[in-house]
Amino acid sequence: MIAIAIVRTKDLLAVVMLTGIYGLLSASFFVVLDAVDVAFTEAAVGAGISGLLMLTAITMTGRSEAPKRHKPLLALLVVFITGGMLIYGTLDMPYFGSFDAPVHQHVAPRYINDSMQEVGVPNIVTSVLASYRAFDTLGEVAVIFTAGIGVLSLLSLPRRRKSHQEDENGEKIKKDEMHEQHMVLRIVSKILIPFILLFALYVQFHGDFGPGGGFQAGVIFAAAIILYAMLYGLDTARRVFNQTVVQLVAAIGLLLYASVGVVSLINGGNFLDYNVLADDPVAGQHLGILIIELGVGLTVAAVMIIIFFNFSGRREAQQQTSQQGTPELKSTKQNNGEVE
């Protein structure tokens, strides 16, 4: 019902709220299925930072959806054909939860029975993501980094020399910002943000023993920074968190992850084989997982902050342009004044 309401609703702000509810319900379903790590990720992304980024986006696009001007019958036909082919392709798959499925006969028993001896990490999900399929996770981090670079290249703007906006007469334009209106939100956020950052560090370095890891920690850390920027103003956030440093951190996180694989090769092992990082293979696994999880957290947090800063910067540029007017409009006003 929530998905149908998201499709049918024209108010984009309501759509963002419904999307957050949908993500929270999805996280609850994952908890019921004992997929706590997936639930943690869905709660942090689907019900958390995605809503903040979409709220920033609709400040640029407007709150109401544009009226439909065409009937996408061809697109609907393509969707039905593709969906039918996907359903047909799953008919030969084992039934969901079937004990005879190959994954339950070979892959899952290996992870469950041998991961503790081979990796030494109580959280099997962390063992799988950070050790057994660490190369796949490296690809995911590279995709996140590439997405951040894409947003940076598409939406990047030249830095403003002035921290405030002025009209054509040189007078300051008073901003109608949320952080200047709601004192209660500022006080509450000032109390909560340190605890959010502390919780992000806990999730970062406790992912070996419980739900969490670098991805969830990076999202939570970025959400705290975005909350700070929304309540205290983008200019204040830019002074606290330099954008050049944030971009550098995004690259450092990916390079830190890849460097673990290079060091493994130098020590005579395979790429991202942590066993050769220390004399004890289990100790090497712990060290490798700790470093690559830190790299994931750095890249994810930095990319999320980059996306928010660029969207917000584009919004401020649009507001400044609308308040000051285009050069053609200014010249017209000046010419009219000369005629008068």
Side-chain angles (χ1 to χ4, degrees), residues 166-169 320-321 323-337:
E166 296 181 355
D167 60 8
E168 57 186 3
N169 297 323
Q320 184 177 6
T321 302
Q323 289 174 347
Q324 293 182 351
T326 60
E328 293 79 2
L329 182 59
K330 287 184 177 180
S331 61
T332 303
K333 291 181 178 179
Q334 292 175 357
N335 294 331
N336 291 336

Side-chain angles (χ1 to χ4, degrees), residues 198-243:
L198 182 62
F199 181 66
L201 294 176
Y202 170 80
V203 173
Q204 172 72 56
F205 297 105
H206 196 262
D208 298 354
F209 304 95
F215 187 85
Q216 296 92 332
V219 171
I220 295 172
F221 193 91
I225 305 305
I226 292 173
L227 178 63
Y228 178 88
M230 294 178 67
L231 294 176
Y232 289 87
L234 189 61
D235 291 335
T236 303
R238 282 173 173 166
R239 288 195 296 268
V240 177
F241 307 98
N242 186 275
Q243 287 186 267

Side-chain angles (χ1 to χ4, degrees), residues 148-196:
I149 295 301
V151 172
L152 183 63
S153 60
L154 291 174
L155 299 180
S156 60
L157 294 171
R159 295 182 179 178
R160 294 178 301 167
R161 295 182 179 179
K162 297 180 180 181
S163 60
H164 57 270
Q165 298 177 1
E166 296 181 355
D167 60 8
E168 57 186 3
N169 297 323
E171 297 179 356
K172 292 183 179 180
I173 298 175
K174 185 178 180 180
K175 295 182 180 180
D176 188 20
E177 297 287 351
M178 179 176 64
H179 67 277
E180 296 179 354
Q181 297 179 356
H182 302 287
M183 183 63 67
V184 175
L185 291 179
R186 294 186 62 183
I187 296 175
V188 173
S189 64
K190 186 179 293 186
I191 298 174
L192 292 180
I193 286 176
F195 291 99
I196 296 175

Side-chain angles (χ1 to χ4, degrees), residues 22-23 31 35 48 50 88 91 98 104 131 135 153-154 158 162 192 226 230 232 238 242 266 269 279 294 316 331:
Y22 183 85
V31 171
S50 294
Y88 177 77
L91 295 179
S98 174
H104 296 151
S131 181
F135 192 78
S153 60
L154 291 174
K162 297 180 180 181
L192 292 180
I226 292 173
M230 294 178 67
Y232 289 87
R238 282 173 173 166
N242 186 275
I266 294 175
D279 295 333
L294 180 60
E316 284 196 351
S331 61

